[in-house]
Amino acid sequence: EEILDLITNEIEAIIQERGDSGLEEEWRENQDQYDGILPPKDYPSEKSSNFNFPITADVVDTLFAQTEREMFFNTPIIGVEPAPFEAHEEEPGIDVEISEKKEQFIDFKSTNDVPVKSGAEMGRFQACLHGDGFMRLSWLYKTEPQYDEEKYEGLKDLERFKKNYPDWEDSTEMKKRVGRLEKDKTVNVEVEYDAIVHNDPIPESVDIYDLIVHPMVKDLQSAQFIAERQSMTGDEIIREIDNKFFRKEVIDEIKNNNPEFQSNQDDEKSSNKFHNTDFEIFRVSLKHSFDPDKPQKRYLAFVLYDREKGLKKCLLQMFYYPWWHNRWDYMHIYIAPKRRKGLYHDGLAMMVRDPQ
């Protein structure tokens, strides 16, 4: 409860600070300006027309296209600097060839396995419009069940079968199969295993509204607390519990603390309400010390804190920060030098607000 209150209180404090400083109002004005939604005009009369000249949309879209061209339509996308020509005494210049192969590999991965271009789109757009865009670079390790059939041919494969299934004596079905092998008969066993279908970084844009970080921090890496607002259905929460990512007690805690999810098993509509409900989840990266005499450690926590529905908050999981580099896995994109204190910059909407 203590760490849960600490996290949710910090989220509320940062959101309040953003509101008091006018940041969220500024972002809404930027978006309205881009969309051509202008405030009513009362000069020289109350019925004066207020035409929209799409200056903001023009300059933002132009800069966005320029960044896309420079970043993704050049070859190579990411250059690799070779070692000095004399670095390899036996074969001078060989590192140039190695660097070119590295560049080709990185281009292939960036185009096919790691969705850099699509993952960065919203972050680049918001950097042009508001002055700041954000991305999260997580690592996706995904497996899917695959099925195969093992074949054991009588006595010659009996020892191999017992080695592959050391607990065969605990299963009636396995005893029958051993019996068949001892009679020199062939046995086929269907096996299931997890095949790796993805094992690469996944860059994703994070909406500027959804990244909860104190506006006065110098940069993301110096932040003590970063929360990302996400959405998960009850069914997705159950899957994360099955994957042993969230605590197994989570479902009972949510249902016991929120009567609307306590349903009769015979009522199919009510029993599926939890599965189909969208919950507001916060992915929280924080520095904290549970012992005041020891230095802070980095943690990653997931909290159900649905501010709109008014549901009781719940700590889904918390563990030590998992990445070996010990840096927050968020990236900050901006286009202009900093003209204010803190984290945020001016975007094109602010720069052309008066002309439009």
Side-chain angles (χ1 to χ4, degrees):
E1 286 294 329
E2 179 184 348
I3 191 66
L4 188 58
D5 289 340
L6 183 148
I7 289 173
T8 54
N9 290 342
E10 186 66 18
I11 290 172
E12 288 298 331
I14 293 174
I15 292 176
Q16 181 67 41
E17 177 67 23
R18 293 199 319 195
D20 293 344
S21 62
L23 274 172
E24 296 200 3
E25 182 181 359
E26 178 184 312
W27 298 334
R28 284 191 292 270
E29 290 178 357
N30 292 344
Q31 188 64 53
D32 287 348
Q33 189 174 314
Y34 176 86
D35 294 332
I37 303 173
L38 302 179
K41 186 177 180 182
D42 55 8
Y43 180 84
S45 69
E46 293 182 358
K47 297 183 179 180
S48 297
S49 298
N50 197 5
F51 293 106
N52 171 53
F53 296 93
I55 299 173
T56 303
D58 183 43
V59 296
V60 168
D61 291 346
T62 299
L63 181 59
F64 179 85
Q66 290 173 340
T67 62
E68 184 162 303
R69 182 186 63 202
E70 293 300 323
M71 292 175 66
F72 302 111
F73 291 94
N74 284 330
T75 303
I77 296 176
I78 298 176
V80 178
E81 178 110 15
F85 190 80
E86 299 80 7
H88 297 273
E89 296 180 0
E90 297 179 359
E91 195 173 357
I94 187 64
D95 202 57
V96 174
E97 182 181 344
I98 294 174
S99 297
E100 290 175 351
K101 290 181 178 179
K102 291 178 180 178
E103 290 172 345
Q104 293 170 4
F105 174 76
I106 293 173
D107 280 7
F108 174 82
K109 294 293 285 186
S110 301
T111 305
N112 295 276
D113 297 331
V114 182
V116 177
K117 182 173 176 292
S118 60
E121 279 185 354
M122 183 173 68
R124 289 189 295 114
F125 171 77
Q126 292 191 336
C128 297
L129 178 64
H130 302 303
D132 302 275
F134 300 97
M135 293 180 64
R136 172 170 36 81
L137 185 61
S138 300
W139 194 282
L140 177 62
Y141 181 82
K142 183 179 180 182
T143 62
E144 289 183 358
Q146 299 288 333
Y147 300 90
D148 201 356
E149 190 174 75
E150 295 176 346
K151 187 174 183 180
Y152 298 89
E153 298 181 350
L155 288 169
K156 70 174 186 178
D157 287 334
L158 178 60
E159 291 304 316
R160 181 166 68 93
F161 181 90
K162 291 181 177 180
K163 182 178 179 180
N164 289 343
Y165 301 96
D167 299 328
W168 65 270
E169 293 181 302
D170 298 334
S171 169
T172 303
E173 182 62 30
M174 287 299 183
K175 287 181 179 179
K176 291 179 180 179
R177 289 171 177 169
V178 169
R180 288 178 58 83
L181 291 171
E182 289 174 342
K183 294 177 182 178
D184 207 23
K185 294 182 179 180
T186 299
V187 171
N188 294 317
V189 180
E190 186 182 80
V191 294
E192 177 183 341
Y193 62 95
D194 291 332
I196 299 173
V197 295
H198 199 103
N199 187 18
D200 286 295
I202 295 292
E204 297 178 271
S205 291
V206 179
D207 193 295
I208 195 170
Y209 289 96
D210 292 337
L211 194 74
I212 314 298
V213 58
H214 198 283
M216 294 310 295
V217 299
K218 183 177 64 175
D219 54 57
L220 287 180
Q221 292 306 320
S222 64
Q224 293 283 112
F225 183 98
I226 302 175
E228 179 190 342
R229 180 166 34 209
Q230 301 179 341
S231 177
M232 294 182 73
T233 63
D235 195 62
E236 289 173 322
I237 292 175
I238 292 174
R239 290 183 186 179
E240 296 298 350
I241 294 171
D242 291 340
N243 292 333
K244 299 181 180 179
F245 188 69
F246 289 165
R247 296 184 300 113
K248 62 181 180 180
E249 304 87 4
V250 161
I251 298 297
D252 290 339
E253 291 179 13
I254 296 174
K255 291 185 176 181
N256 291 338
N257 293 329
N258 299 280
E260 60 189 280
F261 300 121
Q262 298 172 9
S263 60
N264 188 333
Q265 293 298 324
D266 297 330
D267 185 351
E268 183 178 347
K269 184 176 180 180
S270 296
S271 64
N272 281 316
K273 184 174 183 180
F274 176 81
H275 290 262
N276 299 328
T277 299
D278 288 312
F279 295 95
E280 193 172 44
I281 307 293
F282 286 88
R283 177 189 191 268
V284 182
S285 307
L286 74 155
K287 297 176 184 178
H288 183 69
S289 176
F290 290 95
D291 185 342
D293 296 326
K294 294 184 179 180
Q296 291 182 324
K297 296 179 181 178
R298 293 180 184 240
Y299 295 91
L300 183 63
F302 290 83
V303 174
L304 188 156
Y305 182 44
D306 205 315
R307 303 170 67 247
E308 293 184 3
K309 295 187 179 67
L311 301 175
K312 190 165 183 180
K313 56 195 176 185
C314 176
L315 181 64
L316 303 177
Q317 187 57 281
M318 182 173 179
F319 41 79
Y320 289 119
Y321 195 67
W323 312 125
W324 62 269
H325 49 67
N326 214 32
R327 292 171 58 84
W328 301 137
D329 55 348
Y330 290 95
M331 293 176 285
H332 186 188
I333 308 168
Y334 52 89
I335 62 166
K338 192 176 294 186
R339 300 181 183 177
R340 61 177 84 179
K341 289 183 178 180
L343 181 68
Y344 295 100
H345 301 68
D346 288 340
L348 291 177
M350 178 66 71
M351 297 177 188
V352 301
R353 184 156 292 167
D354 289 340
Q356 181 159 333

